[in-house]
Amino acid sequence: MKKFSITKLEKARQNPTDFAKLLMAGTTDSGGFFRRARFVRWQDAVNEYHKTNDLSKALNYLEKSFSNYASNSANRRAYESYLMSLDSYVSELNSNGNIFLKKETLKISLNAISMITGRVPLTFMNNKGGFSLYFFSKTSVGWETELRFPIIQNHFAKEVYGTDLNKIEVGVFSIQDNKFHQQTYSNADISISIEELANIGKAILEV
């Protein structure tokens, strides 16, 4: 069984055949970690907040995680920016009233030989009587067009929560503007996305 991360889905849709070749060669998941190091540490601090429900502990966690960077103005500005994002994240939660559930594991079978895996880092019971699922993002621009979001909405509605599609909203928390952004895709949008995903699966089978 060949597995690839849900975060690679945009790469897969750009050229399904080339992606399928990389997948079969086992080279689709390399690179990217060190470029995201600070962002990953910030996400860890958010996780710490959800573990303890204590903002001061999360802020201390973030401070310690940044302490091994060189003491200069650039690193200080980066730390202060992430500090503000963490504080804003908690403020946004307090204002929208969503109840944190957990980090959800994701497994979606494409066909007999391939599977999409990953995690949805933020799942909430929302104040609309449904569920909100979020990823962390550095930007608030363009995420709505990504294939993973309608696919995740469909998967969690049918396979996880057993509820109507319109009860699930998906989106991002962006550190660009320190806000949650979400959308509920229509049945038509989801049908198109499922068809596109099936074409990616077909390309993998044909390699």
Side-chain angles (χ1 to χ4, degrees), residues 178-190:
N178 293 320
K179 292 184 180 298
F180 287 98
H181 300 270
Q182 59 279 318
Q183 180 167 320
T184 297
Y185 295 87
S186 69
N187 287 3
D189 288 336
I190 288 174

Side-chain angles (χ1 to χ4, degrees), residues 132-179:
S132 301
L133 315 174
Y134 296 97
F135 287 84
F136 298 112
S137 177
K138 289 184 176 181
T139 179
S140 58
V141 178
W143 66 268
E144 304 99 322
T145 64
E146 292 186 28
L147 182 59
R148 61 176 166 163
F149 290 100
I151 293 300
I152 287 171
Q153 180 184 334
N154 180 68
H155 174 76
F156 275 83
K158 293 184 176 180
E159 305 298 333
V160 181
Y161 297 130
T163 191
D164 295 336
L165 286 170
N166 62 12
K167 293 291 187 181
I168 306 290
E169 58 184 19
V170 291
V172 299
F173 179 85
S174 165
I175 62 169
Q176 182 180 52
D177 56 10
N178 293 320
K179 292 184 180 298

Side-chain angles (χ1 to χ4, degrees), residues 10-150:
E10 285 307 291
K11 185 176 182 180
R13 77 190 301 204
Q14 289 168 11
N15 193 319
T17 299
D18 284 353
F19 180 82
K21 291 176 181 177
L22 291 173
L23 179 65
M24 300 310 288
T27 59
T28 62
D29 288 319
S30 60
F33 176 79
F34 291 105
R35 292 193 296 275
R36 297 177 64 247
R38 288 183 178 85
F39 189 36
V40 170
R41 291 172 187 234
W42 178 82
Q43 293 175 52
D44 290 342
V46 173
N47 292 334
E48 182 68 15
Y49 171 75
H50 285 300
K51 287 178 186 176
T52 64
N53 201 34
D54 187 325
L55 178 57
S56 63
K57 289 182 178 179
L59 293 171
N60 287 338
Y61 183 98
L62 184 66
E63 183 178 13
K64 288 179 181 178
S65 71
F66 272 68
S67 63
N68 61 341
Y69 288 104
S71 180
N72 57 48
S73 58
N75 286 333
R76 183 64 187 176
R77 285 195 301 271
Y79 168 70
E80 289 175 350
S81 176
Y82 280 112
L83 196 69
M84 182 176 68
S85 292
L86 182 56
D87 187 68
S88 296
Y89 174 85
V90 175
S91 295
E92 285 280 296
L93 281 185
N94 290 336
S95 65
N96 66 32
N98 288 352
I99 299 171
F100 180 73
L101 298 175
K102 62 179 179 177
K103 181 187 296 185
E104 283 277 7
T105 299
L106 181 71
K107 291 183 179 180
I108 301 175
S109 178
L110 274 181
N111 50 47
I113 66 168
S114 61
M115 174 182 291
I116 298 171
T117 62
R119 290 190 173 186
V120 179
L122 303 170
T123 66
F124 298 93
M125 185 180 298
N126 63 38
N127 57 14
K128 306 168 190 175
F131 301 91
S132 301
L133 315 174
Y134 296 97
F135 287 84
F136 298 112
S137 177
K138 289 184 176 181
T139 179
S140 58
V141 178
W143 66 268
E144 304 99 322
T145 64
E146 292 186 28
L147 182 59
R148 61 176 166 163
F149 290 100

